[in-house]
């Protein structure tokens, strides 16, 4: 039997929190091996009580979607309301709270597929705006990736974190026809 190459999407549920944490852990390792520790640090999400609680909330909150290949999660998308640290939208929107993909499958279009799904969800809800924020530090590669997905950089912001360096972020918006 050959492995499925195009991911299917399914809604997540509370049992999927460990899969989200695995994807975050793998992405963190990938970032660290490339010297990109500013985005998510160096420690696994699965050992951080705050991140574990966040994954549990995402998995039980109704906005989690998983990209699946051969019954294995290879991407996660969480949509809902904007986080408190970004400038509020001036109109109703759907907000991408999380997008993470299996780094072993980088370049295979999984992230783009999940963002297309987010746009479809927004349209189904009668919304004309999809926003996301991302790490804007380093060489800006993540901001450029979102721009290639049809988003436009709007509001830069900084998250101040006690005892840690400030986290530079960028809000991006995509108008939906």
């Amino acid at each position: 039997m050959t492995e499925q190459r195009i991911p299917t999407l399914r809604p997540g549920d509370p049992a999927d929190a460990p899969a989200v944490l695995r994807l975050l852990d793998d992405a963190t390792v990938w970032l660290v091996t490339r010297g990109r520790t500013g985005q998510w640090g160096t420690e696994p999400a699965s050992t951080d009580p705050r991140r574990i609680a966040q994954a549990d909330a995402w998995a039980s909150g109704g906005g989690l979607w998983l990209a699946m290949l051969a019954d294995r999660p290879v991407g996660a998308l969480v949509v809902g309301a904007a986080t408190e640290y970004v400038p509020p939208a001036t109109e109703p929107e759907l907000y991408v709270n999380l997008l993470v993909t299996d780094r072993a499958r980088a370049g295979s279009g999984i992230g783009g597929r999940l963002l297309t799904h987010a746009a479809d969800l927004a349209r189904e809800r009668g919304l004309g705006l999809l926003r996301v924020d991302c790490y804007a530090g380093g060489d800006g590669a993540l901001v450029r990736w979102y721009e290639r997905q049809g988003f436009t950089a709007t509001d830069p912001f900084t998250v101040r974190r006690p005892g840690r360096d400030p986290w530079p972020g960028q809000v991006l918006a995509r108008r939906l026809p």
Side-chain angles (χ1 to χ4, degrees):
M1 182 173 168
T2 59
E3 182 181 6
Q4 174 187 359
R5 295 192 187 272
I6 298 172
T8 59
L9 302 183
R10 72 163 175 82
D13 62 42
D16 292 315
V20 172
L21 290 168
R22 178 190 56 80
L23 287 164
L24 289 168
D25 286 353
D26 291 350
T28 299
V29 168
W30 185 85
L31 289 164
V32 168
T33 61
R34 285 156 180 76
R36 295 175 173 237
T37 59
Q39 183 173 341
W40 286 339
T42 60
E43 299 303 313
S46 61
T47 63
D48 180 342
R50 184 185 66 81
R51 297 290 280 185
I52 293 167
Q54 188 176 48
D56 288 339
W58 284 333
S60 62
L64 173 63
W65 289 85
L66 296 174
M68 305 293 294
L69 284 176
D71 296 324
R72 178 178 170 80
V74 294
L77 167 75
V78 177
V79 294
T83 54
E84 71 281 350
Y85 54 80
V86 301
T90 58
E91 65 186 86
E93 68 173 342
L94 187 62
Y95 202 87
V96 175
N97 302 109
L98 174 71
L99 179 68
V100 61
T101 62
D102 182 339
R103 301 318 308 150
R105 299 185 183 283
S108 63
I110 295 168
R113 171 110 164 81
L114 287 165
L115 288 175
T116 296
H117 185 66
D120 291 344
L121 290 170
R123 282 187 202 95
E124 288 170 10
R125 297 173 190 186
L127 302 171
L129 180 63
L130 181 64
R131 288 196 314 158
V132 64
D133 69 79
C134 71
Y135 179 66
D139 62 3
L142 191 53
V143 172
R144 288 192 305 278
W145 183 84
Y146 278 106
E147 290 173 334
R148 287 192 304 275
Q149 305 307 309
F151 287 82
T152 300
T154 58
D155 301 297
F157 65 94
T158 302
V159 177
R160 307 276 177 217
R161 307 174 300 175
R164 299 171 67 190
D165 289 338
W167 192 87
Q170 177 67 57
V171 177
L172 298 104
R174 181 174 165 199
R175 291 262 163 224
L176 304 172

